[in-house]
Amino acid sequence: MSQTGFPGIQPAMLEYFVGIALNNYREYFLSTHKDYEQNVKKPLYALAEELVPYALKIDDDMEQLPRRIVSRIRRDTRFTKDKSPYRSHMWLSFHPMSKPKWACFGLYYDISPDCSCYGGGFYDSDPARARWMRALLLRRQRELVQILTDPVFAAHYRILGEDYKRIEIPEELHPALRDLYRKKSFYVEHNDGLDPRISRPEYAQEIGAGMLLLKPLYQLLTNEYGDFAE
């Protein structure tokens, strides 16, 4: 068992997500609320507590309260066609306390019935930010190539995100940055699927160590994006 009581990702958590997906209504949630508290919320709060020290090594302004880190299972359905009231997955989100989520490159951990994954990225797509990112890729090529082609980083993370269908790539852009140049927004992710080791308490330290690999990228983007977001 970890020092915070994180037991690893247990089958009961994944089973709860499957159950709420198949019975996505208030009465079911209320009847299984104790299961949610014990098998989902409690271990994820414990995981958040264990990951906070790693997050603070990346940014000492990072959020530290589990209730602000762990997502709610209740969905905000005001602005979406999908009116399902509950999520069938949850996540942990780390971002600086002094900034809103949309204004920073944040870190995350996500757990669903299909996979366990973590990484970092921007909260949403924004054409202005995409233009800023393309300019940054040209301005800070050397540093970004060094970060993204580092053998340890490249072996651990994939660069993901939706591409623009038509965009001209500058000839002077390094080949390692061209896929990133096409992105409307991007994130880097490590996916463990449902490997048996996610059920072990030590998995928290594994996530934390993986997140620390993001520190150079996080700091470069955060320092550069601060002036743009303001």
Side-chain angles (χ1 to χ4, degrees), residues 125-138:
S125 297
D126 178 0
R129 187 196 298 122
R131 291 192 294 271
W132 167 83
M133 188 67 198
R134 292 195 294 273
L136 179 67
L137 290 172
L138 292 167

Side-chain angles (χ1 to χ4, degrees), residues 34-220:
K34 289 184 179 179
D35 292 336
Y36 164 71
E37 291 282 340
Q38 181 65 30
N39 298 324
V40 180
K41 184 176 178 180
K42 183 178 179 180
L44 289 182
Y45 270 49
L47 177 59
E49 290 180 9
E50 191 145 341
L51 292 179
V52 162
Y54 294 95
L56 291 175
K57 289 180 181 179
I58 297 171
D59 187 338
D60 59 12
D61 188 38
M62 205 73 85
E63 180 60 70
Q64 302 178 47
L65 297 177
R67 63 184 176 85
R68 296 182 182 274
I69 295 170
V70 179
S71 67
R72 297 179 180 179
I73 196 166
R74 178 81 190 194
R75 298 178 63 248
D76 183 351
T77 60
R78 292 174 299 172
F79 309 110
T80 177
K81 292 181 180 179
D82 181 2
K83 299 302 180 181
S84 303
Y86 303 103
R87 297 186 175 95
S88 58
H89 73 110
M90 288 182 67
W91 65 85
L92 280 61
S93 175
F94 292 92
H95 62 90
M97 292 183 286
S98 59
K99 298 178 182 178
K101 286 184 178 181
W102 61 266
C104 58
F105 182 85
L107 309 179
Y108 67 88
Y109 168 75
D110 192 285
I111 180 64
S112 75
D114 301 315
C115 70
S116 172
C117 57
Y118 57 87
F122 290 106
Y123 184 69
D124 55 14
S125 297
D126 178 0
R129 187 196 298 122
R131 291 192 294 271
W132 167 83
M133 188 67 198
R134 292 195 294 273
L136 179 67
L137 290 172
L138 292 167
R139 189 172 70 252
R140 303 293 297 272
Q141 282 196 68
R142 182 180 62 81
E143 296 96 328
L144 284 164
V145 168
Q146 184 176 3
I147 291 169
L148 297 176
T149 61
D150 175 83
V152 178
F153 182 94
H156 201 76
Y157 284 107
R158 293 179 60 203
I159 298 175
L160 303 170
E162 185 180 357
D163 291 347
Y164 284 106
K165 293 182 178 180
R166 295 182 180 178
I167 190 166
E168 185 176 349
I169 308 296
E171 293 183 2
E172 66 270 27
L173 187 66
H174 192 283
L177 303 179
R178 292 183 177 181
D179 284 343
L180 187 52
Y181 194 89
R182 298 184 178 93
K183 302 297 183 188
K184 295 181 179 180
S185 187
F186 84 98
Y187 59 102
V188 295
E189 185 171 277
H190 177 83
N191 191 331
D192 286 316
L194 295 180
D195 189 284
R197 73 181 191 284
I198 74 172
S199 65
R200 301 168 186 163
E202 296 79 15
Y203 186 53
Q205 287 83 37
E206 184 177 327
I207 297 170
M211 284 185 168
L212 286 177
L213 296 177
L214 294 171
K215 184 174 181 177
L217 180 62
Y218 174 93
Q219 291 187 333
L220 188 154

